[in-house]
Amino acid sequence: MRRFALIAVPYLWLLALFLVPFLIVLKISLSDIALSIPPYAPTLDLSAGWEGVRSFFAGLDFENFVFLTQDDLYWKAYLSSVWIAAVSTVITLLVGYPIAYGMARAAPEWRPTLLMLVILPFWTSFLIRVYSWMGILANEGFLNMVLGWFGIPPLQILATNTAVYIGIVYTYLPFMILPIYATLERMDESLLEAAEDLGCSRLTAFWLVTFPLSRGGVIAGCFLVFIPAIGEFVIPSLLGGSDTLMIGKVLWEEFFSNRDWPVASAVAIVLLLILIVPIVLFQRNEQKQREAA
Amino acid sequence: MTTAPADRPRPGPAVFAPWDEPDAVPLIQFKNVTKRFGDFTAIDDLTLDIYTREFFALLGPSGCGKTTMMRMLAGFETPTEGKILLSGQDIAPIPPNQRAVNMMFQSYALFPHLSVWENIAFGLKREGKDKDTIRARVDEMLRLTRLEKFASRKPHQISGGQRQRVALARSLAKAPKLLLLDEPLGALDKKLREETQFELMDIQEKTGTTFVIVTHDQEEAMTVASRVAVMDEGKLIQVATPPVIYEQPNSVYVADFIGDVTIFEGTVRKDGEHYRLDWAEGQPPLRVRSPASLRDGQTAYVAIRPEKVEIHHNRPDDHNVLRGKVVDIGYLGNLSTYHVELPGGRMIRAQNFNTERDTRQPFTWEDEVWVNWTETCGVLLER
Ligand SMILES: Nc1ncnc2c1ncn2[C@@H]1O[C@H](COP(=O)(O)OP(=O)(O)O)[C@@H](O)[C@H]1O
Ligand SMILES: [Mg+2]
C-alpha cells in the first residue's frame, strides 16, 4: 500500500499539472467562440443530466483546426518560429561550446566560480533582463551611444529579428553551456594525450576525440534551447518588431487581443504536437547518454 | 649456490648485453635530468642509458617518479634541468605527436567512441597511410594480440584483459622506435598477468621494439626485463640485470625491495679473505666474502635471502651457524618458509624445497634448530 502511494505521487502530479490542463485546453480548442463568460461554448451543464452531456459533446468540432489551415498567418508563424529557434540554437551552440570548453579546462579550483557565473543571471527576473536588453539595443540605447563615441552611425537593432536572436541566445545560453560542460568535465584527459601520442595535433585531437565525446551534451543543449525557443513569447514581443512572426506571439494575440480562446487553444495544441518530435528525440538522447555512462 | 664475481660480464656472443659494450650507442640517454613540480622534486639529477631492443623496467614504490620519466620520454613533460637524447638527438623541442615514441597509458586511454579496429588504426590514419596499408597493419596487430574476434566491438564491450591488449596493439601499430608501458598489467589478475608478461616478451622479441615498462611489481620486472632500474624518490638506486639486482644488490633498499631478505646490522672487520660482522652481543660474528673494501669498525649490513639459509636439527660444521627456534611456518606447496627466532629476538627466514611427497614437515613449531649459510651467500652492504 505504501509502495503504491509512493508510485502514485508522481502520477498524481502529472495528472494535476499536465493532463488536466491539457484536457481543458483540448476541450476549448474544440469549442466555438461565444460572447459570454467564459468566452466559448458549449459548457458542460451537469444539472441537465444525460441530455446535458450529450449536447455538450455534440457542440464540439474541429472547426478551429480547419481555420488554422485556411489562414496562412498560422503556418507561416509556425515555420518562422521553427526557423528562428533553429538559427538561435546554432548561434547558442557556437557561443556556448567555447565557454563550456574553457570552463572544463580551467583549473579545478576555479570551476565552481565559473559555474556560478553562468547560473548567476537566473537570480534576477527574466523580464528585467529582457528590459535591460531593450535599454541596450534601443535607438538611443547604450550600444548606439558607445558606437557614437567612435563616430559609427546608430544601428537599428531593437524591433528587428536580430534583437530576437540576441535575446534568445542570451537567455538560453546556460542551457547550452551546462550539459556540454558536464560531458567535457567528465572526459578523461589522458585520451587527449593518447591522441597526441598517436600523431594528432591539438586541433585534430579536438575534432577526433573531444568533440565526438561531447556530442551527447551538444545534443542535449540544442534541444534544451530549441524546444522552449519555438514557443517563446516574451522575447519576440518585447525585442522583436511588428514583422517578427513567432507562434507564441500569435497565440498571445489570439488569446488576449482577439479574445478568441478556442482558436488560441487550437494554436497551442498544434504547437504541442510540433514539439513532441524534438522532445521524444531529446529523451532518446538522454537515455543513450545514461546507458553509455 | 654461489654468486658470480661482481661486475664481470659473462663471455659469449649470444648474450644480449649492449650496456657492457663500451662502444654501443644508447637509444635513450638521460643526462642529469631533474624534474620539479613547483618546489617538489619528482626526478632528481638522473643519468641513465637505455639501449636498442632492451626491455627496460622501471621499478619503485608509488610516487617515486616512474610515470614522470615516461611522460618526459613521450613528450608530455619537459625536464626542468638536463637533457634527454633519443638516438643522440635532444628531444626537448619535439612535440609528442612527432616523436617516434608511443605510450601505452596506465589507464589504457582507449577512445570510447571508436571500435577496437578504429582504435588501433587511429595512429596509422594520422600518418596518412593509404587504406590497404592501414588495413593490413591493423589486421596484423589484431592477430598479434589475438583480438581478431573483437575488432568491431567498442572498448566498453570487452574485458579488462582484452582492453589492455587493444591498448598494446594501438601503441605498437605505428612501429615506434620506443614503446613506453606504464603499469600495463596493473589491472589484471595474477594468472592473466603472468600470461601477458610472456606475451609481452614474445611481442617484444618479434617486433624488435625497445620497451620501457613501469611497474611496482618486482616479480613482473624480474620476469620481463633485460635490465631493471630500482628507483626511490626520483633517484636511481641501482640499474642492473635481474640476477644482479637479486644476487648483488648495492644497498639495503634494493635488497629489501626485491624479494624476501633478512638483514643484519653491525660493525665490520676485515679478517683475511673475508669480513666479519659483529651484529649482536654473545653471538658469533657473521662471515661474508665481498669484493667491497670497508674500513674496520664501520657500520655495515649483511643481507641473506631465505632460500640460501639451510635449516638443521643438529649443529652443522660450518661458518655462520646460528641457533634458534621455529616460530612460524609458511607452507607454499613447492616450498616451506620457516621463521626462526634467534636468541635476543631477531628473526631469520629459511626456505626448504619440499622435494619429497611427505605431508609431514621435517620441522615443526617450537623446534630447536640450527640455521646456517655459506660465506659466499650473504651480501655485505655499506648502506
Ligand atoms: N603534474 C604534477 N604536478 C605536481 N606533482 C606531480 C605532477 N605529476 C606528478 N607529481 C608528483 O611527482 C611524484 C612522482 O609521480 P609519478 O611519476 O606519477 O610517480 P609513480 O612512480 O607512482 O608513477 C609524485 O609525488 C606526484 O605527486
Ligand atoms: Mg605511475
Side-chain angles (χ1 to χ4, degrees), chain B residues 17 21-22 56 88 103 144 155 174 192 208 223 250 262 304 357 364:
Chain B
E21 294 163 21
F56 192 90
M103 180 149 166
L144 187 70
K174 288 181 77 176
L192 194 56
T223 310
N250 68 357
T262 306
I304 180 75
R357 282 192 61 217
T364 182

Side-chain angles (χ1 to χ4, degrees), chain A residues 3-283:
Chain A
R3 257 188 64 171
F4 176 76
L6 222 58
I7 295 169
V9 169
Y11 282 102
L12 283 174
W13 186 268
L14 267 180
L15 188 73
L17 293 179
F18 180 77
L19 201 60
V20 171
F22 173 77
L23 287 176
I24 293 172
V25 172
L26 182 65
K27 189 260 148 192
I28 298 175
S29 74
L30 299 174
S31 310
D32 294 317
I33 186 166
L35 284 173
S36 59
I37 293 176
Y40 53 84
T43 47
L44 184 55
D45 183 9
L46 282 176
S47 61
W50 180 239
E51 197 49 40
V53 175
R54 272 215 1 222
S55 70
F56 171 75
F57 277 105
L60 300 179
D61 54 51
F62 286 96
E63 228 176 346
N64 300 311
F65 291 94
V66 175
F67 173 69
L68 293 189
T69 63
Q70 284 160 351
D71 192 332
D72 61 3
L73 166 78
Y74 297 102
W75 70 260
K76 279 183 179 162
Y78 283 120
L79 214 64
S80 158
S81 298
V82 169
W83 171 251
I84 290 178
V87 172
S88 313
T89 305
V90 172
I91 302 172
T92 314
L93 175 63
L94 294 179
V95 176
Y97 199 100
I99 298 178
Y101 186 85
M103 286 167 62
R105 288 282 162 277
E109 64 267 27
W110 275 99
R111 287 181 203 163
T113 315
L114 293 173
L115 212 55
M116 191 71 184
L117 288 176
V118 170
I119 302 168
L120 206 62
F122 287 122
W123 290 10
T124 48
S125 152
F126 166 59
L127 221 48
I128 290 175
R129 285 181 283 138
V130 176
Y131 272 114
S132 34
W133 273 110
M134 290 173 76
I136 294 170
L137 300 176
N139 287 355
E140 281 86 40
F142 188 70
L143 178 68
N144 280 328
M145 186 177 81
V146 173
L147 290 179
W149 292 343
F150 297 99
I152 300 167
L155 299 174
Q156 167 72 39
I157 295 179
L158 193 65
T160 67
N161 279 0
T162 311
V164 176
Y165 288 129
I166 292 176
I168 294 179
V169 170
Y170 164 77
T171 307
Y172 291 102
L173 192 57
F175 295 102
M176 184 65 83
I177 292 177
L178 296 177
I180 296 177
Y181 170 75
T183 54
L184 285 177
E185 202 218 22
R186 248 201 334 251
M187 209 182 85
D188 181 0
E189 268 189 61
S190 66
L191 292 179
L192 290 180
E193 291 188 341
E196 267 192 79
D197 189 64
L198 293 166
C200 279
S201 66
R202 292 268 161 92
L203 193 67
T204 38
F206 175 82
W207 281 115
L208 293 172
V209 179
T210 312
F211 192 73
L213 285 177
S214 62
R215 226 189 54 196
V218 169
I219 293 174
C222 284
F223 281 127
L224 285 176
V225 174
F226 181 73
I227 293 168
I230 289 182
E232 185 53 60
F233 150 70
V234 175
I235 296 171
S237 44
L238 291 183
L239 298 178
S242 50
D243 58 340
T244 302
L245 199 55
M246 282 193 81
I247 200 66
K249 213 167 99 178
V250 169
L251 196 152
W252 191 89
E253 272 156 16
E254 220 47 83
F255 202 88
F256 292 99
S257 309
N258 299 350
R259 232 178 124 65
D260 191 342
W261 289 24
V263 167
S265 303
V267 169
I269 295 289
V270 173
L271 177 60
L272 195 68
L273 291 178
I274 293 174
L275 286 178
I276 279 176
V277 177
I279 288 174
V280 168
L281 288 177
F282 173 71
Q283 291 294 355

Side-chain angles (χ1 to χ4, degrees), chain B residues 37 40 42 60-69 77 106 182-183 214:
Chain B
F37 296 107
F40 175 79
S62 187
C64 71
K66 307 180 296 289
T67 298
T68 306
M69 280 186 68
E77 307 280 2
Q106 198 164 358
D182 193 352
E183 308 215 8
V214 157

Side-chain angles (χ1 to χ4, degrees), chain B residues 132-148:
Chain B
D132 292 334
T133 317
I134 293 178
R135 191 172 309 124
R137 181 72 181 157
V138 173
D139 290 346
E140 189 188 336
M141 287 299 118
L142 287 170
R143 253 197 320 279
L144 187 70
T145 48
R146 292 185 280 121
L147 284 165
E148 295 104 320

Side-chain angles (χ1 to χ4, degrees), chain B residues 19-302:
Chain B
W19 47 88
D20 285 331
E21 294 163 21
D23 48 350
V25 182
L27 179 67
I28 306 160
Q29 291 169 280
F30 281 79
K31 294 194 158 175
N32 301 94
V33 173
T34 296
K35 175 68 190 177
R36 277 187 278 270
F37 296 107
D39 50 8
F40 175 79
T41 307
I43 299 292
D44 192 359
D45 192 25
L46 183 144
T47 298
L48 173 66
D49 290 346
I50 299 173
Y51 294 84
T52 307
R53 302 185 74 101
E54 260 205 88
F55 201 138
F56 192 90
L58 290 171
L59 181 61
S62 187
C64 71
K66 307 180 296 289
T67 298
T68 306
M69 280 186 68
M70 298 291 240
R71 291 174 60 80
M72 287 195 292
L73 283 171
F76 301 121
E77 307 280 2
T78 46
T80 315
E81 285 162 28
K83 267 190 199 162
I84 302 174
L85 309 184
L86 181 70
S87 309
Q89 191 192 0
D90 187 359
I91 53 172
I94 305 173
N97 57 347
Q98 283 159 30
R99 293 189 183 188
V101 174
N102 283 127
M103 180 149 166
M104 181 178 160
F105 287 74
Q106 198 164 358
S107 58
Y108 304 154
L110 297 180
F111 303 122
H113 58 300
L114 300 180
S115 69
V116 166
W117 199 95
E118 289 165 322
N119 262 285
I120 299 173
F122 192 91
L124 298 167
K125 285 187 181 167
R126 304 287 84 69
E127 285 180 332
K129 292 250 171 72
D130 66 280
K131 279 217 170 77
D132 292 334
T133 317
I134 293 178
R135 191 172 309 124
R137 181 72 181 157
V138 173
D139 290 346
E140 189 188 336
M141 287 299 118
L142 287 170
R143 253 197 320 279
L144 187 70
T145 48
R146 292 185 280 121
L147 284 165
E148 295 104 320
K149 271 186 273 171
F150 307 100
S152 57
R153 299 257 190 107
K154 290 277 175 67
H156 69 269
Q157 295 165 324
I158 55 179
S159 75
Q162 289 158 353
R163 249 175 259 163
Q164 173 264 322
R165 296 214 298 272
V166 178
L168 180 65
R170 188 180 69 174
S171 51
L172 271 172
K174 288 181 77 176
K177 270 192 201 170
L178 173 63
L179 183 68
L180 307 171
L181 305 132
D182 193 352
E183 308 215 8
L185 314 180
L188 307 184
D189 59 64
K190 194 170 160 55
K191 195 157 160 48
L192 194 56
R193 192 140 114 185
E194 281 169 5
E195 265 177 44
T196 317
Q197 285 167 2
F198 286 102
E199 233 170 82
L200 271 183
M201 290 158 71
D202 204 40
I203 289 172
Q204 197 256 351
E205 218 154 279
K206 270 189 204 152
T207 59
T209 312
T210 308
F211 278 27
V212 177
I213 187 173
V214 157
T215 175
H216 60 245
D217 176 350
Q218 45 115 349
E219 272 181 46
E220 185 169 297
M222 305 289 277
T223 310
V224 300
S226 59
R227 278 193 306 160
V228 177
V230 181
M231 293 182 67
D232 186 32
E233 296 186 343
K235 283 195 158 72
L236 291 176
I237 308 299
Q238 188 172 13
V239 182
T241 60
V244 172
I245 288 271
Y246 189 78
E247 302 293 3
Q248 297 159 18
N250 68 357
S251 59
V252 172
Y253 180 82
V254 174
D256 206 23
F257 196 81
I258 311 282
D260 220 351
V261 74
T262 306
I263 289 165
F264 295 91
E265 182 180 351
T267 50
V268 79
R269 167 156 66 81
K270 183 110 183 155
D271 180 9
E273 283 284 281
H274 46 259
Y275 289 92
R276 286 164 175 276
L277 186 88
D278 291 307
W279 63 282
E281 204 67 34
Q283 288 284 338
L286 304 179
R287 268 167 74 108
V288 56
R289 233 179 242 266
S290 172
S293 52
L294 277 72
R295 280 178 288 108
D296 279 0
Q298 182 180 351
T299 302
Y301 307 84
V302 167

